[in-house]
């Protein structure tokens, strides 16, 4: 086989065909076998994702062919996400280290970051931002990269995730503007106030997790599940966020398919569900004043679950 495959494009085509035939699940940064194979092959060869097409004809040496084929086989038979196989992935146009210490970066919040949260922040002054449940650190670090005048805190309860986040802070050279802190939501940042809080917390329901494809079993369950309706952590965030937002502060949270359950629980809270290029993605924005106004409803719903 190695004698029949020789160029970069040969291996991308071969990988895509094998991935399709194997019925893999594509949910970790890519949604199709061609992009998945492209990520695997180019990263394995230490090449950028925007490699000019002319280089696709470049030939692989024997050691490279064997290495790429071995990764393709692992992707198929072990169902390991490509980002973990090659140790890196891209988020908001930036490269991040990725391994089993945290979820593979894939949030549509990247689109908000790249647009600098327009129109939400167009008339707001942001000096401090918080990435709550940071995982690999990708959201908070990307916010700092796109907004060099922001100071950004990353918080997570997982020591493993924080170790990866700190590596990504150093990798992106933002040590002067970004810090990673251990915290069970807001417990470790008492007294801290932010102009913007962004969170991609765990929101998978217990039943959904039990039915998830094998690819997700390689990720830390702590970063995925959040109770029977996926909202245990989100309700804690809603109940506590106002104390950590400046007067004109904004909260943005991803809840995915748990959107409908959240609206049913809190029908009077004026969630604004954001639209993305591909449509709605279960991400809401909420003003601090709305959190304060509806604090009683939020606290009552949270208390009823404990």
């Amino acid at each position: 086989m190695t004698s029949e495959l020789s160029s970069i494009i040969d291996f991308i085509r071969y990988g895509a065909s094998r991935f399709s035939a194997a019925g893999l699940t594509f949910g970790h940064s890519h949604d199709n076998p061609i992009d998945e194979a492209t990520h695997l092959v180019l990263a394995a060869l230490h090449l950028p994702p925007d490699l000019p097409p002319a280089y696709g004809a470049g030939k692989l040496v024997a050691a490279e062919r064997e290495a790429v084929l071995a990764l393709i086989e692992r992707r198929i038979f072990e169902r390991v996400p490509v980002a973990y196989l090659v140790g890196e992935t891209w988020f908001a146009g930036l490269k991040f280290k990725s391994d089993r210490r945290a979820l593979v970066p894939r949030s549509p919040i990247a689109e908000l970051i790249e647009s600098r949260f327009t129109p939400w922040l167009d008339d707001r002054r942001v000096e401090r931002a918080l990435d709550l449940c940071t995982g690999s650190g990708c959201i908070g670090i990307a916010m700092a990269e796109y907004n060099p005048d922001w100071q950004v805190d990353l918080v997570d309860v997982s020591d493993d995730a924080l170790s990866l986040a700190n590596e990504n802070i150093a990798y992106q050279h933002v040590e002067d503007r970004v810090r990673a802190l251990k915290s069970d939501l807001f417990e470790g940042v008492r007294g801290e106030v932010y102009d913007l809080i962004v969170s991609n917390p765990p929101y998978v329901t217990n039943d959904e997790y039990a039915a998830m494809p094998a690819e997700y079993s390689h990720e830390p369950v702590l970063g995925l599940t959040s109770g029977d309706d996926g909202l245990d952590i989100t309700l804690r965030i809603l109940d506590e966020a106002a104390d950590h937002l400046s007067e004109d502060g904004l909260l943005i949270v991803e809840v995915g398919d748990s959107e409908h359950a959240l609206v049913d629980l809190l029908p009077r809270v004026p969630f604004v569900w954001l639209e993305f290029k591909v449509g709605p993605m279960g991400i809401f924005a909420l003003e601090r004043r709305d959190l304060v106004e509806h604090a009683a409803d939020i606290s009552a719903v949270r208390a009823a679950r404990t």
Side-chain angles (χ1 to χ4, degrees), residues 63 85 123 126 266 268:
L85 289 174
D123 299 317
V126 175
L266 294 166
R268 297 197 296 179

Side-chain angles (χ1 to χ4, degrees), residues 36 40 46 50 58 68 75 80 89-90 132 165 187 200 225 262 267 271 279:
E36 185 101 342
L40 184 150
H46 308 288
D50 57 352
V68 170
R75 178 67 185 92
V80 180
T89 195
W90 292 77
L132 195 64
E187 285 295 319
N200 177 18
T225 62
L262 182 59
F271 298 106

